[in-house]
Amino acid sequence: MKKTVPFDFLLDYLPTGIIIKPAVGMFYIYFDKKIVLIFRKVSKNPQHNGIWISTTRENHASLKGEIPAITDFVLDEGFDTAWLLLSDNHDDFEISAIQLCELVSRRDKRIGKVTPKSAAMF
């Protein structure tokens, strides 16, 4: 059985040339040699469901200022991460998610990180 990508309506707002890789309960979205987003929707730890945004700490304030629905990503174990989260429970999830995908499409420099794995895909 093929798993379907959660929030698949967003794929219409992402650029052509993205690569989607399924993982356990998540779908990694790669573009332009970078990991840019992760779509997650599973029953375990639902507070982590939504869109994970690959970024650096320097970009947190400007991204949150532009898309107020974005929050810090808090892992219960206290694990420190530079990722941000757009929760699928947020009232503005759909509009904010579209904005986020449009930033990716415009190659916004605040979103995405080159990793050895992501660079090797392109």
Side-chain angles (χ1 to χ4, degrees):
M1 182 174 100
K2 185 173 165 54
K3 293 181 190 160
T4 56
V5 176
F7 327 119
D8 61 351
F9 71 96
L10 293 172
L11 299 178
D12 294 338
Y13 297 92
L14 287 167
T16 55
I18 62 166
I19 295 174
I20 302 171
K21 293 282 184 187
V24 179
M26 301 186 275
F27 288 83
Y28 291 66
I29 313 285
Y30 296 91
F31 178 61
D32 211 17
K33 297 187 178 171
K34 298 175 187 171
I35 172 82
V36 288
L37 304 170
I38 296 176
F39 290 3
R40 181 186 192 274
K41 181 78 174 170
V42 292
S43 56
K44 186 178 180 194
N45 296 315
Q47 72 275 21
H48 298 318
N49 283 341
I51 301 173
W52 298 10
I53 306 151
S54 175
T55 189
T56 59
R57 293 202 181 284
E58 304 85 71
N59 297 317
H60 282 200
S62 66
L63 284 167
K64 288 193 245 177
E66 191 165 338
I67 305 174
I70 292 174
T71 61
D72 288 334
F73 192 95
V74 180
L75 288 171
D76 303 324
E77 305 80 42
F79 182 78
D80 192 30
T81 178
W83 288 75
L84 289 172
L85 174 67
L86 174 57
S87 172
D88 66 344
N89 279 334
H90 197 284
D91 290 342
D92 291 331
F93 174 75
E94 208 166 292
I95 291 163
S96 299
I98 290 168
Q99 280 181 278
L100 193 55
C101 291
E102 288 172 343
L103 290 176
V104 171
S105 292
R106 292 196 302 266
R107 289 181 163 85
D108 190 297
K109 300 231 180 293
R110 297 172 295 176
I111 299 175
K113 288 186 208 166
V114 176
T115 65
K117 184 176 180 180
S118 68
M121 286 186 202
F122 292 87

